[in-house]
Amino acid sequence: PVLAHVHEAEDTQRRIIRAGLNAPLLAASRIVANSGAARDALLDVQPRLAPRTEVVHNGVAGPDQPLEPLRHRRPGDPFRIAMVGRLSPRKGVDVALDAVGLLRRSGVDASLSVCGSVFPGYEWYEAELRERAGRRDLDGHVELLGYVRPTWPVLEAADAVVVPSRAEPFGNTAVEAMHAARPLVASRVQGLAEVVTDAVTGLLVPADDAAALAEALGALATDPDLAGRLAEQGRREAAERFSVSGYRATMARIVGEILER
């Protein structure tokens, strides 16, 4: 028996290419997809796999030690934003920088810390980000920290977290922000729309829309009660829906079913 795990939701290539890339999965006994978006992208080109495919959301570990509670900001206090993700156009780091620029122009003393390194071959993108970060509206208020492990100290220091991806099959970093009990703004795309419940465990905005991202961040900056409510509800949701123990139990059940057959 073969158990395959699908954790990509590629839907931008030509249909015939996607069908070919997914053809080896026809040999699998069972398939686990880490989101409904990943499942739908697979079944769009290989519909025969539907009876063998099940969605199991990732289990995402929280911090080893409890983090400090979200600080209560006073009007005019600096607003610290964190982002964890590769320096890749897919991750929308440029959108985050533009949003922080808009936020600062609106009067919010916002700053951004980005944890993540560049994919080989995308050094041009990092150069563009550094050029953007050096412009007058952002100069001195953006940190490109490179690869950071663990990222919990950066999340702990944040007043809000952004996940502005243009495509995201699941969104582990969104769940980590929820585990950290920090208010979250994410793109309404693919798996992120499954992970985050809009206005309950975070705020969802259109992808590739710096103005919408800035507006959502501005709402968190000016409404501490909203920020605190989203942070706490996100923390509880992460513990209930995306625990490592829950994932382990579900995967053990699936493996057991395969072996019984």
Side-chain angles (χ1 to χ4, degrees):
V2 175
L3 173 62
H5 192 282
V6 175
H7 52 88
E8 291 295 340
E10 298 296 339
D11 57 7
T12 58
Q13 294 138 326
R14 293 172 57 194
R15 186 179 180 83
I16 189 170
I17 294 175
R18 291 188 287 127
L21 289 172
N22 286 290
L25 294 175
L26 293 166
S29 310
R30 288 280 289 277
I31 298 167
V32 165
N34 71 348
S35 68
R39 176 201 57 202
D40 293 347
L42 169 62
L43 298 184
D44 179 52
V45 293
Q46 293 292 354
R48 292 168 53 193
L49 295 174
R52 287 179 266 169
T53 302
E54 179 175 349
V55 173
V56 180
H57 288 138
N58 290 349
V60 181
D64 294 332
Q65 301 292 331
L67 303 185
E68 289 293 323
L70 179 69
R71 69 170 181 147
H72 186 82
R73 293 177 57 259
R74 295 170 299 181
D77 282 350
F79 186 59
R80 302 174 299 205
I81 304 163
M83 177 181 172
V84 179
R86 284 276 196 174
L87 302 188
S88 162
R90 286 173 63 103
K91 299 297 184 181
V93 191
D94 55 301
V95 182
L97 266 63
D98 286 342
V100 173
L102 291 171
L103 203 56
R104 291 190 59 78
R105 288 199 287 275
S106 74
V108 178
D109 185 12
S111 62
L112 175 67
S113 297
V114 181
C115 302
S117 55
V118 68
F119 278 115
Y122 283 85
E123 290 79 9
W124 61 268
Y125 184 66
E126 180 177 6
E128 286 186 0
L129 294 175
R130 293 191 180 280
E131 187 277 329
R132 177 67 185 90
R135 295 182 199 170
R136 172 178 283 186
D137 58 341
L138 290 178
D139 191 19
H141 300 283
V142 173
E143 293 182 295
L144 297 178
L145 300 173
Y147 179 75
V148 176
R149 182 182 175 87
T151 57
W152 300 115
V154 177
L155 296 177
E156 185 175 41
D159 300 306
V161 179
V162 291
V163 186
S165 305
R166 293 179 168 96
E168 196 66 69
F170 178 73
N172 283 14
T173 58
V175 179
E176 289 173 351
M178 294 160 67
H179 276 311
R182 293 303 183 264
L184 168 69
V185 183
S187 300
R188 193 190 299 272
V189 295
Q190 296 185 321
L192 288 174
E194 299 174 44
V195 169
V196 181
T197 304
D198 189 28
V200 177
T201 61
L203 300 177
L204 291 174
V205 297
D208 208 10
D209 190 335
L213 181 58
E215 183 178 356
L217 287 168
L220 297 177
T222 57
D223 190 341
D225 291 337
L226 171 64
R229 184 170 66 252
L230 294 176
E232 178 56 25
Q233 291 173 161
R235 184 193 64 78
R236 291 200 302 265
E237 182 86 347
E240 293 171 4
R241 290 182 60 202
F242 307 113
S243 69
V244 173
S245 60
Y247 175 81
R248 181 186 298 118
T250 302
M251 292 300 293
R253 170 185 61 79
I254 293 172
V255 171
E257 291 171 357
I258 294 174
L259 294 177
E260 286 176 2
R261 295 195 183 103

